[in-house]
Amino acid sequence: MVYINVLYDIVNIMNTGEHYKKRRSLKEKLKLCAVAVTMLGLPPVAPASYLANDYSPVPLLEQKEVTIITSNVHNRPLIRYLDDDFLQDDPLNILTTHQPDIACFQEISAQDAAELTQYGEVVYKENNNKPFNGSVGIAQVSTRRMSHIQTPNLSKDSERSAIVTTIDDIQAACTHLTDNPVKAKEQLHELLNRYPDLAIVAGDFNLEASIANTIMRNFRYASTDKPTLVHSNKSAVDRVFLKNGQKRTIQHWISHRFRLLSDHRGVKASFRPLNWANTSRQSLQ
């Protein structure tokens, strides 16, 4: 993080005092500096797991409704100094607003991910260590304890990886696939081949909805395919998939997009698990 700290100091000096009138030209010079640092790369941050301040006492599938969200929050510390129009989301605010049981964040900083323990348990994995992108990663958040935590690399020639955990015997994955569609398909296939018991997959797939739907055909429930990129008509790249099965018989499924400050829209999906613990006799008739 030395490079970023140095760049922060440079920018702060450039944007204050007598240097303010030269701000535009100096920012252009800084962009060149950022590109140079990007080419150097930074050492990756080790995967981290943070325990929650508190946990829900009700097992996941014994409550009346389960909610999952995915949000690409575009949390890039360096870009905020280079783009006057840049707006940054508050991941904790997203959690408290939408109250998910499971959340998957992309392009989130390690520092912001660690602060989410105010809401739930957090697993963080850096998957983009280029300084211009802010050395960001993915984070899975759960209101229940997570076990069997893994952070597999999905391809040899990419820094993109996934987070796979078990939550109340339900295996869930959080991912951010590369923006190269050929490699993204390879990474998604690799994830499914390695973890055939996955029940929930959420994240930024960087794939057209029809392509993702074909690969995820064993997952009966998929979130909306309406565009989630703010400045594009491309079908949804941010998705939530749910597989029906013995442990999770689904009674009701609904999904919709919600606004973020980033260049993506968030996706929220909810379902009602049908089991003896949360279903009345009348509803079964």
Side-chain angles (χ1 to χ4, degrees):
M1 298 298 293
V2 174
Y3 293 114
I4 290 181
N5 289 336
V6 170
L7 287 171
Y8 281 173
D9 292 340
I10 293 174
V11 174
N12 287 332
I13 292 173
M14 289 179 175
N15 289 341
T16 57
E18 61 185 9
H19 296 280
Y20 183 79
K21 293 181 180 179
K22 299 180 180 179
R23 183 168 178 251
R24 293 295 176 183
S25 60
L26 290 174
K27 284 180 66 177
E28 291 298 320
K29 294 178 181 179
L30 181 60
K31 288 181 182 180
L32 296 176
C33 177
V35 171
V37 175
T38 301
M39 295 174 65
L40 292 175
L42 292 175
V45 175
S49 179
Y50 307 98
L51 298 180
N53 293 345
D54 195 15
Y55 293 93
S56 173
V58 182
L60 191 65
L61 296 186
E62 289 186 12
Q63 60 186 33
K64 291 184 177 180
E65 188 170 77
V66 177
T67 299
I68 308 161
I69 67 169
T70 179
S71 303
N72 186 322
V73 292
H74 194 64
N75 186 344
R76 298 180 174 183
L78 186 56
I79 289 181
R80 78 179 88 174
Y81 296 107
L82 306 179
D83 182 357
D84 293 332
D85 298 322
F86 178 73
L87 296 173
Q88 182 172 305
D89 277 295
D90 178 359
L92 184 58
N93 183 60
I94 294 172
L95 292 174
T96 56
T97 298
H98 296 281
Q99 295 290 305
D101 299 285
I102 302 171
C104 174
F105 288 102
Q106 308 89 47
E107 297 191 35
I108 184 173
S109 68
Q111 179 181 356
D112 278 1
E115 294 175 354
L116 300 182
T117 54
Q118 299 174 60
Y119 184 87
E121 185 164 319
V122 182
V123 177
Y124 175 81
K125 176 66 169 68
E126 183 182 272
N127 73 345
N128 194 330
N129 64 351
K130 297 178 180 179
F132 193 75
N133 288 337
S135 295
V136 292
I138 52 178
Q140 184 167 291
V141 184
S142 171
T143 54
R144 277 79 176 172
R145 290 297 301 267
M146 291 185 279
S147 62
H148 302 91
I149 297 169
Q150 300 180 59
T151 56
N153 289 319
L154 300 179
S155 60
K156 295 180 180 179
D157 59 348
S158 172
E159 74 275 13
R160 300 300 172 114
S161 55
I163 295 172
V164 179
T165 69
T166 299
I167 306 168
D168 288 352
D169 296 326
I170 302 298
Q171 195 172 60
C174 172
T175 190
H176 185 187
L177 305 179
T178 185
D179 55 5
N180 179 316
V182 175
K183 291 184 178 180
K185 288 195 293 184
E186 293 174 353
Q187 292 165 7
L188 185 53
H189 279 297
E190 179 67 17
L191 177 66
L192 299 179
N193 290 337
R194 284 200 204 183
Y195 302 97
D197 294 329
L198 276 172
I200 297 170
V201 182
D204 182 348
F205 288 73
N206 269 318
L207 289 170
E208 288 281 357
S210 59
I211 297 174
N213 290 343
T214 299
I215 298 173
M216 304 290 289
R217 57 186 174 274
N218 290 332
F219 288 69
R220 180 175 175 182
Y221 297 93
S223 60
T224 177
D225 60 3
K226 293 181 179 179
T228 55
L229 291 172
V230 175
H231 304 298
S232 171
N233 290 324
K234 182 179 180 180
S235 59
V237 298
D238 304 275
R239 308 292 299 282
V240 177
F241 288 91
L242 173 67
K243 185 187 292 182
N244 206 3
Q246 184 178 4
K247 294 180 181 178
R248 55 207 165 267
T249 302
I250 309 306
Q251 187 179 24
H252 181 69
W253 168 269
I254 188 171
S255 69
H256 66 271
R257 301 170 299 169
F258 59 88
R259 291 186 179 277
L260 297 171
L261 295 178
S262 77
D263 55 351
H264 288 247
R265 295 189 187 279
V267 174
K268 181 177 183 178
S270 300
F271 68 93
R272 295 176 187 170
L274 181 63
N275 62 40
W276 294 108
N278 63 17
T279 305
S280 67
R281 182 188 297 263
Q282 183 179 2
S283 68
L284 292 173
Q285 294 176 345

